[in-house]
Amino acid sequence: MGEYGVVPGQRVAIIWDSLSPVKTLKDLVDKIQALVGADNCVSVEIVKQLSQLTHKESSFDVILSPMVPGRQHSVEVLAEIAWILKPGGCVLLKELVVTESGNNSRIKIAAKLLTTLTLSGLMEVKEVCMY
């Protein structure tokens, strides 16, 4: 499997936030487009509008959703990602987590991340990496 789990010929969605730097997004899109090939789809979707999109169920082979500073993936956003992901597809997301519960209840606990992903409809989670 290629970088970001992307190989030539795949349809890829990049979930983005309007607060993120445009240059970073452009660089990522250019890199992914080079990986999938010029004739294949790289779709950029704004996270706030994800539920309003008209993509059919199982539209994308790979979905990338980088961590947005100060935000986390809600259960609703993860459910939309599960909806547009093809069966057997790959989701690569970055999520801020802590190892144990503390004073900030807005940050997910690492142990509950897998449960959140599963409840969102991402049933076949094969790997969760913590850095």
Side-chain angles (χ1 to χ4, degrees), residues 14-58:
I14 300 172
I15 311 299
W16 208 255
D17 187 280
S18 59
L19 301 175
S20 298
V22 174
K23 178 165 179 9
T24 303
L25 173 59
K26 182 180 179 333
D27 291 347
L28 180 59
V29 169
D30 290 346
K31 184 180 241 182
I32 299 302
Q33 191 68 65
L35 291 170
V36 299
D39 295 333
N40 294 292
C41 175
V42 176
S43 180
V44 177
E45 309 298 346
I46 302 297
V47 70
K48 289 182 183 179
Q49 299 172 343
L50 196 58
S51 64
Q52 301 166 8
L53 298 177
T54 58
H55 292 297
K56 294 179 183 174
E57 181 179 14
S58 305

Side-chain angles (χ1 to χ4, degrees), residues 7-129:
V7 296
Q10 291 184 315
R11 289 181 44 89
V12 178
I14 300 172
I15 311 299
W16 208 255
D17 187 280
S18 59
L19 301 175
S20 298
V22 174
K23 178 165 179 9
T24 303
L25 173 59
K26 182 180 179 333
D27 291 347
L28 180 59
V29 169
D30 290 346
K31 184 180 241 182
I32 299 302
Q33 191 68 65
L35 291 170
V36 299
D39 295 333
N40 294 292
C41 175
V42 176
S43 180
V44 177
E45 309 298 346
I46 302 297
V47 70
K48 289 182 183 179
Q49 299 172 343
L50 196 58
S51 64
Q52 301 166 8
L53 298 177
T54 58
H55 292 297
K56 294 179 183 174
E57 181 179 14
S58 305
S59 296
F60 295 96
D61 300 291
V62 178
I63 299 175
L64 306 176
S65 188
M67 185 179 72
V68 177
R71 297 199 182 185
Q72 290 188 299
H73 296 89
S74 67
V75 172
E76 293 80 16
V77 167
L78 292 171
E80 290 296 327
I81 288 172
W83 172 258
I84 62 174
L85 182 67
K86 288 182 179 179
C90 177
V91 175
L92 177 63
L93 61 89
K94 291 184 180 179
E95 185 76 25
L96 180 63
V97 295
V98 294
T99 55
E100 58 186 54
S101 183
N103 294 336
N104 191 346
S105 62
R106 295 181 59 201
I107 299 176
K108 289 184 182 97
I109 300 169
K112 293 186 180 179
L113 179 59
L114 186 58
T115 301
T116 302
L117 294 170
T118 303
L119 290 174
S120 300
L122 296 166
M123 304 301 288
E124 296 181 33
V125 178
K126 293 192 170 50
E127 183 176 358
V128 175
C129 299

